Amino acid sequence: MPLAAQPDTAPPPAATLESTDPATGEVVGRFPVADAAAVGAAVDRARTAAQAWAALGYDGRRRRLAAWRGHLARHLDELADLVHRENGKPHEDAVLEITLAVDHLAWAAAHARRVLGPRRVRAGLLAANHAASLEYQPLGVVGVIGPWNYPVFTPMGSIAYALAAGNAVVFKPSEHTPAVGVRLAESWRAAVPDLPDVLQALPGDGATGAALCRAGVGKLAFTGSAATGRRVMAACAETLTPVLMELGGKDAMIVDDDADVAAAADAAVWGAMSNAGQTCIGIERVYATEAVHDAFVAEVTRRVQRLEPGTSYGPMTMAAQADVVRRHVEDAVAAGGRIGAGGTDPGTGRTVAPVVLLDVPETSAAVREETFGPTLTITRVRDAEEALALANGNPHGLAGAVFSRSRRRALDLARRMRSGMTSVNSVLTFAAVPALPFGGVGESGFGRIHGEDGLREFTRAKAITRQRVPLPVPLMSFDRPAGATAALARFVRLVHGRHR
Ligand code: NAD
């Protein structure tokens, strides 16, 4: 029998996405790009899976999340190797990243019932004849769109908490790290073979992400730049899909008069240069008081000079990001800034040498905009109050750090820092504490992953009242006796009227 001719309307072959090792240019993974139809089909499968996942209850989900955690832990080195090859960061840093993600997964699974499960609340005087209860129900399917800089830890901040809250997840990894995203979903299927569609990964670029925004998911958790975040919000607005926005930062460190300068310098260099500076909560600006500035700069210089490309930090994951870093350094120098330590310039090619910039005007791009590279501006300030004012004078507000030996002073500065997270006498630590919420203010986004808030983020609150006994005098009924509301008004005046 002759083969039927292909109709003219046959869809074109799916485009292919290729990821490469930033250090060698070798191909790491090749995947078909998920188009709108593939996204729709995945969300449909996830909807069915979400019902079975929710029906399992907290214990059933906890057992399966533990199996996944076990699988990730047993294959940690393989996954770290893949992260190293696809993102460029040193293997050891990839191990650290995955360890943190596994820890969050354990916390989310262990605490979901306590945080989200049904609980009685006081019904209050007016509804004293009712029992009132509150619980947090899953949204169904959560769409997760992730970046490439921490290709395991960052999306897992949404995925782990959304799953523990009883949702299925459709994950669109960054086009720069699709193999890591696909591996996460594979590990899920290997560990939880009875419910393979509860976590799916869809490789693709911005168009795939945009299709996910329009696919009718219960919530869209986005991590990436503010520019893309705006596009995601606009697309989600079409279907009133709620969003979580984890965006970029320009985090500052304050080094106060009484700080341990060596510890502050060590933390600043790690916070700024690890992961080649491609850390949303990386330290990009330091404000050091007169009293410590020179010693701090000297200590930072000593430490930056010891950094080795390849072992201390890898190449930039994206070639285009290296250009942004160079532009910021050039702009800072043109505006009167000095290169204080590290390479005399950031170099050419994909590996950017760490650069410390001194005396950079606050109006320069290196101080205003997210650099996302291994640079650090250090600015001399009169005192910690001036440091705080400058730290807070940026549209971003993700995280930050304060170094001071005075606990009271440090906590006061930390509280007044305009950011979602602040660490005292360390950097980035809040990200390693699963019980603490993670998220920003201003241009750094809104909503929270991690901790109790992170679990609730992927749920809707459900309120239930149950009448235990009827009221002798019904107030919300057309059978209400005359004079009932007058008695109520007397009661309100008695209870509340004395407050002035
Ligand atoms: P990006 O905004 O370029 O891309 C993020 C994701 O959005 C990618 O998966 C991309 O494919 C997708 N995307 C692009 N266009 C889209 C569209 N129109 N609709 C839907 N999705 C679309 O960001 P990036 O370069 O991957 O990541 C770096 C940024 O992420 C930095 O600003 C960094 O600070 C930020 N970040 C924030 C956090 C946080 O938790 N706040 C964590 C890590 C990274």
Side-chain angles (χ1 to χ4, degrees), residues 400-404 406-407 410-411 413-414 422-427 429-430:
V402 175
F403 273 77
S404 164
S406 154
R407 191 170 72 167
L411 287 177
L413 289 166
T422 301
S423 49
V424 173
N425 295 337
S426 75
V427 286
T429 310
F430 43 79

Side-chain angles (χ1 to χ4, degrees), residues 148 276 278 315-330 346-353 371-375:
W148 44 266
Q278 304 165 118
M316 303 294 287
T317 309
M318 284 162 65
Q321 197 61 36
D323 298 337
V324 173
V325 181
R326 292 194 181 94
R327 178 169 64 77
H328 282 195
V329 172
E330 281 161 20
T348 53
R350 201 70 162 248
T351 299
V352 177
T371 306
F372 225 51
T375 65

